[in-house]
Amino acid sequence: LTLSYINATLVESFSSILTKNIVAMLVWLVLSIINGSMVHTFQRHSLFYENPRYIMFICMVINDALQLTLVTALYVISYIFRKIHASVCCLLIMTAILTTRSTPLILAGMAVERYISICFPLRYSHMCNIPRTLLLICVIVILTITPPITDLLITIVKEPPSFFHTKIFCDHSLLFRDQSIYYKNCVFDGTYLSFVALALLYTYCKIMMAAQAVSTSLASVKRARNTVLLHGVQLLLCMLAFVVPSLQAALISLFPQLSLEIRYIFFLLVYIIPRFLSPMIYGFRDEQFRKYWTRYLSCHEHSMTLTHLKPAGHRPSRPGVRHL
């Protein structure tokens, strides 16, 4: 199927290629600006990087931004260069896998943080502190970097050394070709996605029970419940990245003449659109972050307007100096 995709791109019209790549780059640019403004807002105010909730959130934003950049780059490269060195492709693919697999685990960590804040408010400062949050992030990185490293080790053992000096179409199935890698990743993905789903379900049920026990009108409990529910929706979208390859292959086999369109639609639905959820969950729903974020955006827009309206060659006069 990958080889048929390569052949199909060779006969695709220039206007179609240009349109698809422009749309992909524009979406990447817009989301990169949004994510960049969030990271800048986080860095400007110490109350955010002293709070475990916002540390986990900004890790999610940076992870999404990196994943979006890599996936968009791989998509554009597939049209511009067709084939690249296997060693370069290996670096891009492994980093993309790392960021893709990190998202569900970060979601689980954020859901557990909400659960502790609602169900154990008196122990929150002890259970959710900065060192433990950083330790959790390190554990997530170790867990998610292990599968691509094992993929690489298996490939080094199975493939000749000259393989990494050849040029290939940058695709996971063409880079890591051994069948054992496929089965290993299926087991790993199924295990850790099941763990994340159970963690989200458990925290949601516990928060719901807390809401019924305390007060259904308690605003903080409602917000926590809705946040975990949105994390569940985001997890379902993340799981599409693991389900879509099989579904995409089935659709392409049924409609081979639409293979390029099918791949492009799945590219937008699976890798691009879910990146809008992180800004929605915290950027807009969190009152404290929204206040500082909108203030930064308004100030940035105001300064750009003043710069644009400022006459060329204008120099501010110094006090006490009279210009004749």
Side-chain angles (χ1 to χ4, degrees), residues 8 16 38 69 75 105 114 161 169 231 281:
S16 176
M38 286 186 166
T69 300
Y75 183 82
L105 293 178
R114 290 288 77 207
F169 183 82
H231 286 332
I281 290 176

Side-chain angles (χ1 to χ4, degrees), residues 138-152:
C138 291
V139 170
I140 290 174
V141 172
I142 292 172
L143 286 175
T144 52
I145 204 174
T146 301
I149 287 180
T150 56
D151 293 348
L152 177 61

Side-chain angles (χ1 to χ4, degrees), residues 3-286:
L3 293 175
S4 65
Y5 171 72
I6 299 173
N7 294 330
T9 57
L10 294 175
V11 298
E12 189 176 10
S13 65
F14 176 77
S15 60
S16 176
I17 294 174
L18 185 62
T19 302
K20 289 178 179 179
N21 282 276
I22 287 177
V23 171
M25 292 299 294
L26 286 177
V27 173
W28 169 80
L29 180 61
V30 171
L31 287 176
S32 296
I33 292 173
I34 294 174
N35 291 331
S37 66
M38 286 186 166
V39 173
H40 190 70
T41 302
F42 175 85
Q43 292 177 332
R44 284 170 60 92
H45 305 284
S46 61
L47 75 154
F48 292 135
Y49 51 79
E50 293 174 357
N51 189 318
R53 183 194 314 175
Y54 296 110
I55 293 176
M56 294 292 292
F57 162 64
I58 210 64
C59 285
M60 171 73 75
V61 172
I62 294 173
N63 183 79
D64 284 353
L66 182 58
Q67 182 192 30
L68 179 68
T69 300
L70 287 169
V71 171
T72 305
L74 286 170
Y75 183 82
V76 174
I77 285 172
S78 68
Y79 278 101
I80 297 177
F81 299 104
R82 306 289 180 181
K83 294 182 178 182
I84 61 175
H85 280 282
S87 56
V88 178
C89 176
C90 183
L91 178 63
L92 294 174
I93 290 290
M94 289 180 65
T95 311
I97 292 173
L98 170 65
T99 54
T100 300
R101 288 196 169 114
S102 296
T103 302
L105 293 178
I106 297 175
L107 287 173
M110 295 171 74
V112 171
E113 185 274 333
R114 290 288 77 207
Y115 159 68
I116 294 173
S117 69
I118 296 299
C119 298
F120 304 98
L122 299 179
R123 300 174 60 187
Y124 177 82
S125 59
H126 173 70
M127 299 175 69
C128 294
N129 51 41
I130 305 302
R132 290 191 175 187
T133 303
L134 297 178
L135 177 62
L136 176 62
I137 294 171
C138 291
V139 170
I140 290 174
V141 172
I142 292 172
L143 286 175
T144 52
I145 204 174
T146 301
I149 287 180
T150 56
D151 293 348
L152 177 61
L153 293 176
I154 293 173
T155 303
I156 291 175
V157 172
K158 297 286 185 178
E159 301 288 348
S162 59
F163 171 74
F164 290 96
H165 298 286
T166 60
K167 288 189 175 183
I168 63 171
F169 183 82
C170 196
D171 184 81
H172 184 275
S173 60
L174 294 178
L175 179 65
F176 302 120
R177 301 183 292 186
D178 192 80
Q179 196 70 12
S180 61
I181 295 176
Y182 171 77
Y183 293 115
K184 174 188 68 68
N185 288 335
C186 286
V187 173
F188 178 85
D189 293 338
T191 302
Y192 101 103
L193 286 175
S194 299
F195 167 77
V196 173
L198 288 174
L200 289 176
L201 181 62
Y202 177 81
T203 54
Y204 181 77
C205 292
K206 284 294 185 179
I207 291 173
M208 286 291 292
M209 292 171 64
Q212 293 177 356
V214 182
S215 172
T216 55
S217 62
L218 196 61
S220 60
V221 176
K222 278 190 171 184
R223 283 197 300 269
R225 180 193 62 194
N226 294 335
T227 298
V228 175
L229 186 61
L230 284 172
H231 286 332
V233 175
Q234 194 171 4
L235 175 65
L236 291 176
L237 292 174
C238 292
M239 290 174 67
L240 288 176
F242 304 94
V243 178
V244 154
S246 300
L247 178 60
Q248 180 177 270
L251 289 175
I252 290 176
S253 63
L254 291 174
F255 308 100
Q257 70 278 9
L258 300 176
S259 59
L260 295 175
E261 287 70 20
I262 291 172
R263 283 180 177 269
Y264 187 69
I265 290 172
F266 278 118
F267 167 73
L268 293 177
L269 292 178
V270 176
Y271 298 106
I272 301 297
I273 293 178
R275 306 284 81 79
F276 282 102
L277 276 181
S278 292
M280 184 188 71
I281 290 176
Y282 273 95
F284 294 106
R285 293 187 69 251
D286 190 278

